[in-house]
Amino acid sequence: ILEKTESGSDARRRILNIAVSTILLEAGFDAADKMSLETLTEMLQCFLSEVGNSAKGYCELSGRVEPVLGDVMMALLNMGINLHGLEQYAARPNRHVIQPPQQ
Amino acid sequence: MQMSRIGSPSVGMDEDSGAGHALSDFLLQLENYNPSIPDSVVAYYLNMSGFESQDPRLIRLIALASQKFLSDIVNDALQHCKMRTSSQMTQSSKNQKGPKEKKYVMTMDDLAPALQEYGITAKKPHYFV
């Protein structure tokens, strides 16, 4: 079981790595050294955990069980995330979708 | 008691009611939109921190927000990289002229100042495994 979970987290981590690499390529970088790639991957993982934690906090604070859009927004705003231009970012032309892992 | 419970979220919502309205419209569009990061991966990390939602749109919104966050930082790092390489190019342009193809390589030298602007301090560890 330990080996199974190990490979599972590796697979997720690899997908985050691919995601960071795609973002770098989209921005116009041609290459990256291992440490900066790993730093950004770690940041992405922390970002997701932090949003989840914070949104859950706001959700439970208002006595709900299931998070709603407002909770997620409060979490993002409280983290100082700039949400302007998110729609344009979503519609950017050269985006690349990563294949989800096989279950 | 009741007042403060209702009052505190509405204070936060007042500041961004415009953005909030646009975002709820945007959320409807996320129904058939795929962000780069697969839903299952994002959902896993969210579940790890206690967030559980049946609504895939919220997960997609978070995935998009995280992508944009990194994208903004990476763009800043690219500007740093371009500035650094162009100053190096002008120094070495005396020796070799003609357009040399530029290759942008991200290093910690570019990333660290970009992160610093966002209030994140990244330090180079003494060793890296």
Side-chain angles (χ1 to χ4, degrees):
Chain A
I1 290 171
L2 196 72
E3 217 179 327
K4 185 100 174 168
T5 52
E6 189 82 12
S7 77
S9 76
D10 269 7
R12 292 188 191 92
R13 186 76 183 191
R14 201 165 58 241
I15 288 172
L16 290 190
N17 236 314
I18 296 169
V20 171
S21 311
T22 342
I23 292 169
L24 285 173
L25 279 175
E26 276 171 12
F29 274 107
D30 297 302
D33 66 0
K34 193 167 186 276
M35 185 162 25
S36 44
L37 186 64
E38 211 61 37
T39 306
L40 287 172
T41 309
E42 195 68 29
M43 278 173 57
L44 179 56
Q45 192 182 328
C46 286
F47 183 98
L48 294 176
S49 309
E50 184 60 35
V51 173
N53 209 355
S54 186
K56 176 183 168 256
Y58 280 114
C59 171
E60 290 182 350
L61 187 67
S62 41
R64 271 179 270 109
V65 176
E66 186 115 336
V68 294
L69 173 65
D71 298 326
V72 175
M73 265 190 52
M74 284 297 284
L76 290 173
L77 290 170
N78 194 37
M79 283 164 70
I81 304 303
N82 183 15
L83 289 174
H84 287 286
L86 194 65
E87 222 162 319
Q88 287 90 317
Y89 181 74
R92 70 199 184 285
N94 58 343
R95 66 191 191 85
H96 178 259
V97 176
I98 299 164
Q99 288 303 308
Q102 270 84 42
Q103 296 297 313
Chain B
M1 182 70 173
Q2 186 98 22
M3 277 304 286
S4 69
R5 197 173 66 96
I6 296 169
S8 58
S10 67
V11 168
M13 294 304 277
D14 269 344
E15 298 163 6
D16 46 73
S17 54
H21 189 69
L23 213 61
S24 58
D25 288 345
F26 176 53
L27 194 72
L28 296 173
Q29 298 173 27
L30 284 176
E31 192 71 63
N32 38 23
Y33 176 86
N34 278 343
S36 298
I37 314 174
D39 282 356
S40 55
V41 179
V42 179
Y44 168 80
Y45 285 109
L46 291 175
N47 289 350
M48 278 290 106
S49 50
F51 177 102
E52 212 162 344
S53 174
Q54 300 300 316
D55 193 349
R57 294 174 305 173
L58 284 182
I59 290 167
R60 282 173 199 160
L61 178 69
I62 294 172
L64 256 177
S66 68
Q67 274 179 61
K68 185 169 183 298
F69 172 65
L70 282 189
S71 175
D72 288 348
I73 291 174
V74 164
N75 267 320
D76 271 13
L78 185 66
Q79 301 312 317
H80 278 285
C81 183
K82 278 181 176 167
M83 272 198 293
R84 213 163 45 87
T85 48
S86 72
S87 69
Q88 279 173 2
M89 287 287 268
T90 47
Q91 276 170 7
S92 61
S93 61
K94 296 156 197 159
N95 317 7
Q96 42 184 300
K97 54 180 167 114
K100 202 176 85 180
E101 66 195 81
K102 280 187 194 167
K103 216 165 181 227
Y104 296 118
V105 181
M106 170 174 268
T107 56
M108 283 310 273
D109 299 337
D110 306 317
L111 188 56
L115 287 179
Q116 195 75 59
E117 285 170 32
Y118 286 82
I120 302 161
T121 312
K123 282 199 186 114
K124 210 171 181 163
H126 294 300
Y127 55 88
F128 186 75
V129 222

